[in-house]
């Protein structure tokens, strides 16, 4: 019968029940729920004299995060499938408060269910969490309802500890699928692990604050604020060097199209003796610039604006205008001298 859904949700029950002509209330002091240990729960079945009855369930439980995710991924909810994940990829210990409200119908639709999950997770782990790396050692809070899921806290991604906040939207037609923010520090070795090796231009630790907005169709935006005080920056082509210590910042706003980086909507770098800003575009199917515009490029005696163009058939073009351009570093012959012959 439809009412059986509420009765079988929690097993091995200990508690009390009260009933009248309108409703049944269960107060549970112990039990189990899909492998979770129930510490207390309340179940109310109401509107007995109406055509349709409702169930309201509030459960406090402890146990593996994987079991909680399996619970909210079961039919008809399917919340974990909705974000392209499977519960078995997750691990951790969780204390959870689960709230459900739904009509007692034989064919229940997901949009008829009100859901609220609040969980605190210790020792969080996830296989292939981001950028091809596993996450581990996380301390996170999880908030989930029928509209969205929010995950926030601290986790180690690959070798890098980071503060993260992720919000996933479930509503059909929502323009944004996921919004993710991460803050952390990357050393030279960390960047090599993730495939972002900028040596010799950047060496030393950098602090990142990244906001990634994922939209439908593989499109989205990445906004990145970078603090470069502890890094050495070097651009030998312009005879410029910033040692470790002096303050420096960078800002990047990137456009993702079809799952690939295609646009640099904004870039800005400010450091002692150096300023650069502009925008650019990335060639399809590559990580190479096809266009890089300089609204500002100031360093030493150089003060210009211009554009760098790369065309597979026409080669490379660099057009500049401005007050002054020091071409000396580009023309300098740095070929080692040939050894003297006897």
């Amino acid at each position: 019968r439809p009412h059986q859904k509420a009765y079988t949700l929690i097993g091995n029950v200990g508690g009390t029940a009260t009933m009248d002509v309108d409703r049944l209330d269960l107060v549970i002091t112990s039990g189990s729920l899909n492998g979770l240990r129930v510490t207390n729960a309340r179940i109310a079945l109401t509107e007995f004299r109406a055509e349709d009855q409702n169930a309201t369930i509030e459960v406090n439980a402890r146990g593996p995060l994987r079991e909680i995710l399996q619970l909210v991924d079961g039919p008809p909810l399917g919340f974990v499938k909705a974000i392209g994940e499977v519960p078995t990829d997750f691990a951790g210990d969780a204390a959870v408060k689960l709230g459900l409200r739904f009509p007692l119908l034989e064919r229940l639709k997901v949009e008829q269910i009100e859901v609220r999950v609040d969980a605190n997770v210790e020792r969080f782990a996830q296989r292939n969490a981001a950028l091809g790396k596993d996450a581990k050692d996380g301390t996170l809070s999880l908030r989930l309802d029928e509209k969205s899921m929010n995950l926030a806290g601290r986790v180690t991604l690959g070798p890098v500890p980071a503060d993260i906040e992720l919000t996933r939207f479930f509503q059909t037609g929502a323009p944004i699928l996921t919004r993710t923010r991460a803050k952390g520090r990357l050393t030279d070795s960390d960047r090599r692990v993730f495939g972002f090796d900028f040596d010799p231009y950047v060496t030393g630790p950098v602090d990142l604050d990244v906001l990634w907005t994922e939209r439908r169709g593989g499109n989205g935006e990445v906004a990145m604020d970078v603090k470069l005080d502890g890094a050495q920056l070097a651009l030998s082509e312009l005879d410029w060097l910033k040692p470790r210590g002096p303050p420096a910042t960078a800002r990047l706003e990137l456009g993702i199209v079809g799952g690939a980086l295609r646009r640099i909507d904004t870039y800005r770098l400010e450091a002692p003796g150096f300023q650069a800003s502009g925008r650019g575009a990335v060639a399809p199917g590559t990580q190479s610039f096809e266009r890089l515009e300089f609204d500002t490029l100031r360093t030493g005696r150089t003060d210009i604006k211009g554009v760098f163009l790369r065309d597979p058939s026409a080669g490379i073009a660099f057009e500049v205008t401005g007050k002054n351009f020091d071409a000396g570093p580009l023309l300098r012959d740095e070929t080692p001298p040939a050894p003297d012959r006897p």
Side-chain angles (χ1 to χ4, degrees), residues 156-219:
T156 299
L157 180 64
V160 180
D163 296 313
I164 66 163
E165 182 172 4
L166 178 150
T167 301
R168 176 77 184 207
F169 300 95
F170 298 130
Q171 291 173 298
T172 302
I176 296 175
L177 295 179
T178 306
R179 182 179 285 119
T180 305
R181 186 165 195 171
K183 297 180 181 180
R185 167 168 283 203
L186 273 67
T187 64
D188 292 336
S189 60
D190 295 335
R191 292 195 294 275
R192 284 192 288 270
V193 167
F194 286 104
F196 305 135
D197 188 0
F198 300 118
D199 184 65
Y201 302 106
V202 181
T203 55
V206 300
D207 297 307
L208 294 180
D209 184 346
V210 181
L211 177 62
W212 175 32
T213 302
E214 180 186 3
R215 302 181 185 274
R216 297 188 179 277
N219 300 329

Side-chain angles (χ1 to χ4, degrees), residues 89-276:
D89 283 342
F90 295 84
D93 302 319
V96 61
K97 181 177 181 180
L98 169 67
L100 295 169
R101 180 176 170 81
F102 53 88
L104 292 169
L105 302 175
E106 193 69 59
R107 292 178 176 84
L108 190 63
K109 299 178 181 179
V110 66
E111 58 265 25
Q112 295 174 294
I113 305 173
E114 296 178 19
V115 182
R116 174 75 183 195
V117 176
D118 294 276
N120 293 314
V121 184
E122 300 288 340
R123 291 176 288 279
F124 172 88
Q126 180 187 357
R127 286 198 292 264
N128 195 23
L131 300 174
K133 306 302 176 187
D134 295 344
K136 62 181 180 180
D137 301 330
T139 301
L140 302 173
S141 63
L142 170 68
R143 304 288 181 265
L144 181 147
D145 59 26
E146 64 272 14
K147 296 179 181 179
S148 64
M149 179 186 74
N150 179 269
L151 195 65
R154 189 163 180 84
V155 69
T156 299
L157 180 64
V160 180
D163 296 313
I164 66 163
E165 182 172 4
L166 178 150
T167 301
R168 176 77 184 207
F169 300 95
F170 298 130
Q171 291 173 298
T172 302
I176 296 175
L177 295 179
T178 306
R179 182 179 285 119
T180 305
R181 186 165 195 171
K183 297 180 181 180
R185 167 168 283 203
L186 273 67
T187 64
D188 292 336
S189 60
D190 295 335
R191 292 195 294 275
R192 284 192 288 270
V193 167
F194 286 104
F196 305 135
D197 188 0
F198 300 118
D199 184 65
Y201 302 106
V202 181
T203 55
V206 300
D207 297 307
L208 294 180
D209 184 346
V210 181
L211 177 62
W212 175 32
T213 302
E214 180 186 3
R215 302 181 185 274
R216 297 188 179 277
N219 300 329
E221 302 87 38
V222 177
M224 186 182 306
D225 288 300
V226 189
K227 189 176 181 181
L228 298 154
D229 298 15
Q232 174 178 288
L233 309 180
L235 196 59
S236 60
E237 294 86 348
L238 295 174
D239 264 357
W240 177 71
L241 174 72
K242 182 199 86 71
R244 301 185 184 192
T249 60
R251 168 79 176 182
L252 288 169
E253 296 179 10
L254 311 175
I256 309 298
V257 179
L261 174 62
R262 289 300 310 278
R263 305 188 317 271
I264 302 174
D265 296 324
T266 300
Y267 72 85
R268 184 177 68 252
L269 173 61
E270 295 186 3
F274 192 95
Q275 286 183 306

Side-chain angles (χ1 to χ4, degrees), residues 33-34 63 66 153 159 214 216 226 243 291:
L33 171 64
N34 283 32
R66 181 181 294 117
E214 180 186 3
R216 297 188 179 277
V226 189
R291 181 182 184 89

Side-chain angles (χ1 to χ4, degrees), residues 318-341:
F318 189 45
E319 303 173 1
V320 299
T321 61
K323 297 178 180 179
N324 191 51
F325 179 52
D326 183 3
L330 298 175
L331 300 176
R332 185 182 301 127
D333 184 4
E334 297 184 356
T335 305
D340 294 333
R341 294 181 179 275

